[in-house]
Amino acid sequence: MSEDREQESGEDRDEQARPTSAAARRGRRASGRSSSRKESGGNGSKDASAPKGRATPQRDGRSERVSLFRRIGRFLREVVAELRKVIWPTRKQLLTYTAVVLVFVSIMVAFIAGLDLLFAQGVLQLFGE
């Protein structure tokens, strides 16, 4: 019961602090927007004069260089890890996709061959033998 009274008294204080007129509410909203623009500085940072964070090891200029073989080994490990994430097609899907590709390529070859013959006949008719 005492918690309810505390909440009600807190809400009463909040209502008293709020402006009651519509003009005052609009002014507060507009000023809220302009102040957020000023804080951002227009470049996306909150405070342009804030000190930058600590440099990362890459910027510190590590004295230890990774050898070529270690880099190749890391690359191959990452390739294997990515290939494990791949959802491979089933045998049935693979055969279906292969058949679709072969039929499509056959149709396109026939189409291009037909155009080639048509244009060859047109050139022969136009310029003669």
Side-chain angles (χ1 to χ4, degrees):
M1 184 91 161
S2 64
E3 293 174 4
D4 293 338
R5 287 184 189 159
E6 288 175 7
Q7 287 178 349
E8 288 175 7
S9 65
E11 290 172 5
D12 291 341
R13 275 187 255 127
D14 289 342
E15 286 176 11
Q16 292 171 357
R18 292 184 193 141
T20 55
S21 70
R25 284 192 299 261
R26 281 193 300 269
R28 188 175 65 181
R29 273 190 242 131
S31 66
R33 282 191 216 121
S34 63
S35 66
S36 65
R37 280 190 215 125
K38 289 177 189 173
E39 289 173 2
S40 68
N43 62 1
S45 65
K46 286 189 176 181
D47 188 7
S49 64
K52 294 193 176 191
R54 210 169 141 248
T56 62
Q58 292 174 345
R59 288 189 221 140
D60 283 341
R62 293 182 291 185
S63 60
E64 181 183 328
R65 296 288 295 170
V66 180
S67 72
L68 176 66
F69 295 111
R70 285 186 187 245
R71 284 188 283 168
I72 292 173
R74 180 180 176 192
F75 173 75
L76 292 175
R77 282 192 305 274
E78 290 178 6
V79 166
V80 170
E82 289 298 321
L83 287 175
R84 286 185 182 143
K85 296 177 188 176
V86 172
I87 299 173
W88 296 97
T90 63
R91 184 173 182 85
K92 184 178 177 181
Q93 289 173 332
L94 185 65
L95 292 174
T96 302
Y97 297 156
T98 303
V100 167
V101 168
L102 290 176
V103 168
F104 179 75
V105 168
S106 300
I107 291 171
M108 292 307 295
V109 166
F111 178 70
I112 299 296
L115 286 178
D116 184 43
L117 287 173
L118 182 68
F119 288 135
Q121 291 296 324
V123 167
L124 285 176
Q125 292 294 325
L126 188 61
F127 295 111
E129 290 184 39

